Amino acid sequence: MEASRVSAVQKEKAFSQLGYRVDHQVLSGRTSAADFAALIDRHSADPSTSAVIVQYPPPQHLAPLVQRLAPDKDIDGLLGDRSLQQACATADGITRVVRPFTQDNPRIAVVGGQGLVGSGVVRLLQQEGLRVESLDAGDDLRRTRDADIVVSATGNPHVPTGEHIRPHHRLVVDSGFMPQPDGSMYWRWLFCLALVT
């Protein structure tokens, strides 16, 4: 997926600029489970490896093997409750944007709440004692109308749509990017604010 490739390249640049040596390994979709497991195990055991990021989504047959990663090497929150990180960096960033608008315990709807980013947003906001409704594929997205704050972390453009967003929403956060047929990127990192008096 082009979006995953671009995201991986951005991470490599960011860590390199911070002075880290990055071993960016691009694997074929036909990589065997045994080879992938060996790679995860080797980096988990290697004291010279500070951290490991597996770019999502991995091929379906390899996804369960990510759980072999040593928790202290997981800086992207991929291991869920076993990770030392509570969520990926994007989820943390979204939560930081939402936090200033939550003093009166608003209703928050997270569209894409079961994905990597969305589940992290749900987890972080719930840990702060906030009322969060997780919506995902198959759910009635019109339920966003009842929320005070809407977060979209679907990874798909145009979800939610104007049918789901209302003038009373005090904050709408839409995050993601998708490759376009012409090779360009459709970037979404949109904040819509409504002034609350």
Side-chain angles (χ1 to χ4, degrees), residues 143-161:
R143 293 184 354 222
T144 59
R145 297 175 183 176
D146 298 326
D148 301 299
I149 295 173
V150 177
V151 174
S152 176
T154 65
N156 294 306
H158 315 298
V159 179
T161 67

Side-chain angles (χ1 to χ4, degrees), residues 9 34 46 73 81 95 101 111 115 122-123 140 145 147 178 193:
V9 168
D46 184 354
K73 303 287 174 89
D81 292 339
T95 302
F101 298 88
V111 181
V122 169
R123 184 170 39 259
D140 183 359
R145 297 175 183 176
M178 291 293 294
L193 306 177

Side-chain angles (χ1 to χ4, degrees), residues 161-179:
T161 67
E163 174 187 8
H164 309 109
I165 306 304
R166 292 290 179 247
H168 77 273
H169 289 135
R170 69 177 70 163
L171 175 68
V172 176
V173 179
D174 187 8
S175 168
F177 64 97
M178 291 293 294

Side-chain angles (χ1 to χ4, degrees), residues 2 157-158 178-186:
E2 182 65 7
H158 315 298
M178 291 293 294
Q180 300 301 293
D182 66 1
S184 65
M185 283 291 165
Y186 173 73

Side-chain angles (χ1 to χ4, degrees), residues 1-192:
M1 291 177 52
E2 182 65 7
S4 289
R5 186 195 67 75
V6 170
S7 178
V9 168
Q10 289 175 332
K11 290 172 186 176
E12 181 178 6
K13 286 181 183 176
F15 283 109
S16 296
Q17 288 175 348
L18 290 171
Y20 291 96
R21 183 180 61 81
V22 178
D23 180 12
H24 182 180
Q25 299 183 16
V26 179
L27 306 177
S28 161
R30 294 182 303 274
T31 298
S32 72
D35 288 345
F36 185 64
L39 184 65
I40 292 285
D41 292 347
R42 186 176 87 237
H43 284 296
S44 289
D46 184 354
S48 69
T49 299
S50 301
V52 175
I53 295 176
V54 176
Q55 185 63 42
Y56 265 60
Q60 193 171 19
H61 72 287
L62 301 180
L65 298 171
V66 173
Q67 295 302 309
R68 296 173 70 104
L69 183 61
D72 63 324
K73 303 287 174 89
D74 174 22
I75 62 168
D76 226 5
L78 302 177
L79 302 180
D81 292 339
R82 292 181 42 240
S83 178
L84 303 180
Q85 305 302 320
Q86 298 186 22
C88 68
T90 302
D92 182 59
I94 292 169
T95 302
R96 290 171 189 249
V97 170
V98 171
R99 190 174 294 126
F101 298 88
T102 62
Q103 281 73 20
D104 61 345
N105 197 18
R107 292 168 297 181
I108 304 169
V110 178
V111 181
Q114 293 180 12
L116 175 66
V117 174
S119 64
V121 171
V122 169
R123 184 170 39 259
L124 292 173
L125 293 174
Q126 285 178 338
Q127 286 175 353
E128 295 184 18
L130 296 168
R131 297 182 293 164
V132 182
E133 180 175 14
S134 175
L135 300 169
D136 222 284
D139 291 332
D140 183 359
L141 297 186
R142 290 176 295 185
R143 293 184 354 222
T144 59
R145 297 175 183 176
D146 298 326
D148 301 299
I149 295 173
V150 177
V151 174
S152 176
T154 65
N156 294 306
H158 315 298
V159 179
T161 67
E163 174 187 8
H164 309 109
I165 306 304
R166 292 290 179 247
H168 77 273
H169 289 135
R170 69 177 70 163
L171 175 68
V172 176
V173 179
D174 187 8
S175 168
F177 64 97
M178 291 293 294
Q180 300 301 293
D182 66 1
S184 65
M185 283 291 165
Y186 173 73
W187 293 92
R188 295 180 304 128
W189 187 248
L190 171 69
F191 311 111
C192 298

